[in-house]
Amino acid sequence: VIPPMSRLLPGASEPIDVGNLYNDPPIGIRANMVISLDGAAAFNGRVRPISDATDLQLLLAIRSYADVVLIGAGTVRAERYGPVRLDAAAQDRRLAAGQSAIPPVAVVTLRGNLDLSSALFTSGQPPIVVTTAHTATVNPELARASDLIIAGEHRVDLVEAKRQLAHRGMHRVLCEGGPVLLDNLIHEDLVDELCLTVSPRFAGYQPVSGVPSQLAVPRQLELRHVLHHDGFLYLRYTR
Ligand SMILES: NC(=O)c1ccc[n+]([C@@H]2O[C@H](COP(=O)([O-])OP(=O)(O)OC[C@H]3O[C@@H](n4cnc5c(N)ncnc54)[C@H](OP(=O)(O)O)[C@@H]3O)[C@@H](O)[C@H]2O)c1
């Protein structure tokens, strides 16, 4: 027997002020991702074709509550990531709340293969680079170009990385992907919240991972809300 369900659409609902729905990030790791209808995280290597202007604005709002933006090196390379930019109102609100005006970007890399001449490293405050002791030794220029966090000898220990970010006062981490970093965080059971945008577009392929899970059982989160705009669904799941 199928249990009774709630129908969200079509429904008569008042337009709501969305930004404030995200102003209570967890102490821990909130992740934000957009996926295509067929489960892809990008189209031809870029996220923009499966996203839209509203999704991007929402990401900017979600960023404005974070102490730090955590990102995988693959995304930095693919999306040519620069420093976070926030409008003056958001910066004032952050300063009044005791946060830095702008959350720094923290890049996770095993190999240390980052373009140190890119805007991320040359404009504004230097980013944090999270890597291993081995990579830091082999690439001494990383320490000169960034605020370095060494987490692990030969593999990045994400639990240790989170601990060191917290030690710097960065307790509310926003992970913006990509899929490899998000998978690794989930394997370590480190994701406390997922803000997931379901795009109404097929990307034309389905990434399939054959890697066995490190979780004993799938971890269930609680659905906090479902928003809808222009065919996009905005889902917020928390622990
Ligand atoms: N749909 C979305 O919301 C979204 C969000 C972000 C990105 N994307 C898309 O995702 C694609 C990139 O995917 P991706 O999975 O390669 O991105 P990624 O997770 O950003 O990057 C993977 C790289 O990050 C580093 N890394 C990640 N986890 C690590 C760990 N636990 N330990 C050490 N290093 C770690 C490694 O860097 P090194 O190779 O330097 O060692 C690894 O090769 C792009 O096409 C981008 O557009 C989509």
Side-chain angles (χ1 to χ4, degrees), residues 32-35 40-42 44-47 50 71-79 81 108-114 155-156 158 176-182 184:
N32 186 79
M33 292 288 286
V34 53
I35 55 163
N44 289 343
R46 299 300 295 267
V47 70
I50 60 167
I71 191 93
T75 298
V76 170
R77 293 188 287 261
E79 302 283 347
Y81 247 68
V108 182
T109 176
L110 180 61
R111 296 175 297 149
N113 172 17
L114 296 164
R155 59 172 282 276
V156 173
L158 293 170
E176 296 186 0
V180 167
L181 178 58
L182 184 61
N184 291 337

Side-chain angles (χ1 to χ4, degrees), residues 52-71:
D52 77 346
T54 303
D55 182 44
L56 182 62
Q57 287 305 315
L58 185 57
L59 173 65
L60 296 181
I62 290 173
R63 276 181 163 185
S64 75
Y65 300 112
D67 294 329
V68 61
V69 170
L70 187 70
I71 191 93

